[in-house]
Amino acid sequence: LAKTTQPISMDSYEGQEVNITCSHNNIATNDYITWYQQFPSQGPRFIIQGYKTKVTNEVASLFIPADRKSSTLSLPRVSLSDTAVYYCLVGDGNTGKLIFGQGTTLQVKP
Amino acid sequence: NAGVTQTPKFQVLKTGQSMTLQCAQDMNHNSMYWYRQDPGMGLRLIYYSASEGTTDKGEVPNGYNVSRLNKREFSLRLESAAPSQTSVYFCASVMAGENYGYTFGSGTRLTVV
């Protein structure tokens, strides 16, 4: 399974755009890239998933370059409630098995 | 509400005791998973079941057993609990073959003393 590397922590301020980049050099052809958000004492929550180029939903955007060796989660205009741990995962949609890394702890300050 | 239900939410065990963590989903998902999360760490896969009737080991299976009772239910058993198994346990499910995100339960916080 492809491993991912992402920053351990990031700080931001309310109203700013936050970009979290994830490296996945060994991504396989069948792998999708998925991002999750986790608040303390809760299970992770699905944010967004993509295969290539750009995906956007009501919460975030996901940018994936042509070589798919990295991806960037973009959170527009963050608020204090976006303070959480963000996980980048790559995995085969057929087997469904995903391996979590340590994630990025995002701290949004007022 | 549709989702993944885990029981119990909290449990304290003495070393050597056994217990079963229960997980049920009502979304007709094929695949189910058990993860553990230690303080300040990411989630580690214990066991998973890609479909009813199959189970496979994940990253950290030692000390655990699982049963995929039916399509809805996937239980995790600790036969002889150890302090190293103190953790928060999360169950998740997904429809295999569809690239949607997992749905996670709210977790079971287990302490082994």
Side-chain angles (χ1 to χ4, degrees), chain B residues 44-63:
Chain B
R44 291 185 291 172
L45 181 63
I46 305 172
Y47 270 95
Y48 68 104
S49 171
S51 61
E52 187 179 355
T54 68
T55 60
D56 285 288
K57 296 179 180 179
E59 302 171 88
V60 288
N62 291 343

Side-chain angles (χ1 to χ4, degrees), chain B residues 14-28:
Chain B
K14 293 182 179 179
T15 298
Q17 286 186 317
S18 62
M19 81 161 293
T20 299
L21 281 64
Q22 306 287 352
C23 176
Q25 52 89 11
D26 57 5
M27 297 169 287
N28 202 36

